[in-house]
């Protein structure tokens, strides 16, 4: 289950709103798979930082959201990829 406001009350990544967390969880439910998270998990033993983990996950999310490698994402998709990557990076690093 997705942790909501109470669990992330001290984390200020723009995701303080529980409703926003739920929206992002629904948005990426069918997008996130092993490939999205694997690089971050594999590099965790080398001390990947939150910023590095977010960048890795965001790159994979952008790949999944774009129709082709040269396609541009809408502003909404760009924002969702960024916020979703922040959420997934935090959840992934917390789980390790």
């Amino acid at each position: 289950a997705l942790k909501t406001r109470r669990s992330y009350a001290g984390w200020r990544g723009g995701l303080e709103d529980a409703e926003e967390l739920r929206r992002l969880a629904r948005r990426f439910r069918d997008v996130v798979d092993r490939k999205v998270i694997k690089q971050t998990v594999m590099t965790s033993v080398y001390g990947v930082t939150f910023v590095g983990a977010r960048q890795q996950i965001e790159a994979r999310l952008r790949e999944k959201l774009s129709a082709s490698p040269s396609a541009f994402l809408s502003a909404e998709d760009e924002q969702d990829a960024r916020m979703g990557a922040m959420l997934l990076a935090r959840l992934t690093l917390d789980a390790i």
Side-chain angles (χ1 to χ4, degrees):
L2 176 67
K3 296 178 182 181
T4 57
R5 175 185 285 168
R6 190 167 24 131
S7 300
Y8 287 91
W11 177 53
R12 297 291 177 242
L15 294 170
E16 297 86 12
D17 182 35
E19 189 57 38
E20 178 66 5
L21 288 170
R22 283 190 286 277
R23 185 188 73 76
L24 285 169
R26 286 189 299 270
R27 169 83 158 95
F28 291 112
R29 179 180 306 154
D30 297 327
V31 175
V32 175
D33 60 9
R34 182 176 180 269
K35 183 178 179 180
V36 172
I37 303 299
K38 183 179 179 183
Q39 182 181 13
T40 301
V41 172
M42 298 301 286
T43 58
S44 67
V45 297
Y46 301 109
V48 69
T49 63
F50 172 76
V51 173
R54 182 192 47 78
Q55 289 172 338
Q56 292 169 353
I57 293 171
E58 187 174 351
R60 299 298 81 74
L61 289 176
R62 287 174 189 274
E63 288 173 5
K64 298 277 230 168
L65 291 176
S66 66
S68 68
S70 61
F72 290 100
L73 296 178
S74 69
E76 182 181 350
D77 283 346
E78 289 277 344
Q79 180 68 17
D80 281 355
R82 179 81 153 176
M83 299 303 282
M86 289 172 61
L87 173 62
L88 290 169
R90 178 56 50 214
L91 290 172
T92 302
L93 294 175
D94 285 352
I96 296 173

